[in-house]
Amino acid sequence: MSNSAEHQPPDEATVAAYLSNRLDPSREQVFEAYCLRHPDFARRVELDLFLKVGLRQIQGMDGKRRASPTRRTVLAIAAGLAVVVGCGLLLRHPSHPGALVAYQSETELPPALLSRPRVPVTLIRLRASSSIHQIIAPRDSGVLAVRVAPDSPPGRLGYTVSVTPERAVTPGTVTLDNLRADADGYIDLYLPVAALVGQTFRITVNPAPGAEAESLSFRVQVAYPRHAPADTR
Amino acid sequence: MPDPRPLAPEKEASGRLGVLVHRLLAELPADRDRTILTRFYLKEDEKSEICRDLNLTELGFNQVIFRARNRLRDLLIDAGIDKQDLMDSEGGS
């Protein structure tokens, strides 16, 4: 796909091909990049997915009952486009390098992080993919405000979310337990940008220990803008 | 070849999403529109092929898809169904 294609909404055929896993990796990447930049379009893709699944459910009851569509059906169709919606852009001076910490709510944030601009990120899985989602964080940003749409029901104790660096620049894995989805169905967590920048992390959502559902995983890479303004004043 | 797949009674459609999509299909004004949706989303036929078979312009095709998508969105909102419900119903529980 050309550069111009990256700026035009994919057509119906491309959406259909994407949802059926018929796009080649490069076109898939362009498609997903477009979704990242256009949450409304991503929502539209989701509606198409719902139409597909709804029709399959109807067909499943129509005459020959195929091996009843299981959760795996959806996970196969639905399988993993991680839509990263809305990375904010602001700026000021660089922040301190920090340890990897995860906060469950805004109220837990230390004042130093709370007072800085935050970078909102929404992660939704539509189709399976291991592509890395690049997030450009302003140099003065405090936290990555991550919203994850879980694609399985919570366990009795809610969800467990872990954040793991792929390389051990920042040691260890941070895990938050007993998380609940908000009224919109999203799990919220806050991660200090300074501890993430320059690295690739895996954010994994598990319904609960022992639950049968598969875990949901996103790869996220955080970087500062490459060509930051030398001085904004 | 307008051959819309016969629909199971609404109450038998498995899953809440199936019920909503069944309702959506029932509301469509023409069999041709149902054919478009089932061929495009279920059978995954090419848009050009569907247009050719049904003697349909691209604009006409897009309108059907556009309206269906918007109507489904409204039905989902009215029913309070979100992605989580979709996964639940697919779980066959």
Side-chain angles (χ1 to χ4, degrees):
Chain A
M1 244 185 252
S2 67
N3 275 345
S4 66
E6 293 174 15
H7 300 292
Q8 290 172 354
D11 60 16
E12 303 289 351
T14 306
V15 174
Y18 177 79
L19 291 176
S20 309
N21 270 329
R22 284 184 282 118
L23 284 186
D24 62 52
S26 64
R27 292 184 71 206
E28 191 171 273
Q29 209 165 23
V30 172
F31 182 92
E32 292 178 355
Y34 188 88
C35 287
L36 303 187
R37 292 193 304 271
H38 300 86
D40 286 348
F41 181 80
R43 182 66 188 160
R44 195 206 102 168
V45 173
E46 195 172 60
L47 283 170
D48 281 359
L49 172 65
F50 287 174
L51 267 168
K52 270 176 99 74
V53 173
L55 285 164
R56 285 189 184 194
Q57 288 182 357
I58 294 169
Q59 188 193 41
M61 294 303 298
D62 180 26
K64 53 185 177 224
R65 241 177 178 287
R66 301 170 304 162
S68 69
T70 60
R71 131 183 256 96
R72 214 165 280 183
T73 313
V74 166
L75 295 178
I77 304 171
L81 177 210
V83 181
V84 182
V85 185
C87 303
L89 281 190
L90 299 167
L91 42 117
R92 207 161 283 168
H93 28 271
S95 52
H96 59 88
L100 179 57
V101 186
Y103 302 94
Q104 293 189 25
S105 76
E106 208 172 313
T107 56
E108 294 179 353
L109 292 176
L113 291 176
L114 193 58
S115 62
R116 293 174 174 215
R118 68 190 54 182
V119 181
V121 177
T122 302
L123 300 169
I124 303 171
R125 178 162 84 165
L126 293 183
R127 291 198 320 98
S129 159
S130 60
S131 58
I132 296 176
H133 303 281
Q134 293 190 315
I135 295 167
I136 304 300
R139 290 175 182 271
D140 71 337
S141 52
V143 291
L144 214 61
V146 180
R147 305 187 80 205
V148 185
D151 60 5
S152 60
R156 244 179 306 169
L157 298 175
Y159 297 96
T160 297
V161 178
S162 60
V163 183
T164 309
E166 291 198 342
R167 290 182 191 169
V169 178
T170 303
T173 295
V174 174
T175 302
L176 295 175
D177 294 316
N178 306 338
L179 295 181
R180 299 282 172 186
D182 63 18
D184 296 327
Y186 290 96
I187 301 167
D188 294 318
L189 67 150
Y190 300 85
L191 305 167
V193 170
L196 305 172
V197 82
Q199 300 186 65
T200 302
F201 290 82
R202 192 171 286 275
I203 297 176
T204 305
V205 179
N206 284 298
E212 284 184 12
E214 297 172 30
S215 62
L216 168 66
S217 190
F218 301 93
R219 296 175 78 202
V220 175
Q221 189 175 66
V222 183
Y224 287 138
R226 198 174 289 175
H227 302 293
D231 191 343
T232 55
R233 282 173 299 181
Chain B
M1 42 186 259
D3 177 27
R5 195 175 287 270
L7 301 174
E10 179 170 332
K11 64 182 180 201
E12 291 180 10
S14 65
R16 297 175 70 189
L17 198 54
V19 171
L20 291 185
V21 172
H22 188 285
R23 190 178 307 166
L24 166 73
L25 292 179
E27 287 178 5
L28 292 175
D31 282 349
R32 187 202 61 177
D33 294 355
R34 280 182 278 279
T35 304
I36 292 171
L37 292 183
T38 50
R39 285 190 59 181
F40 188 60
Y41 286 111
L42 195 57
K43 296 173 72 178
E44 299 180 355
D45 287 344
E46 293 288 337
K47 175 179 173 177
S48 56
E49 192 185 341
I50 298 170
C51 287
R52 191 188 58 230
D53 291 346
L54 301 180
N55 194 22
L56 193 66
T57 63
E58 191 170 317
L59 178 64
F61 177 95
N62 289 345
Q63 280 176 342
V64 172
I65 299 291
F66 178 79
R67 288 175 189 151
R69 192 183 293 126
N70 286 348
R71 181 60 187 140
L72 179 62
R73 185 192 57 213
D74 293 343
L75 289 171
L76 285 165
I77 291 170
D78 290 347
I81 290 184
D82 60 19
K83 191 171 175 178
Q84 183 104 353
D85 295 314
L86 165 62
M87 298 303 168
D88 291 348
S89 62
E90 279 295 285
S93 53

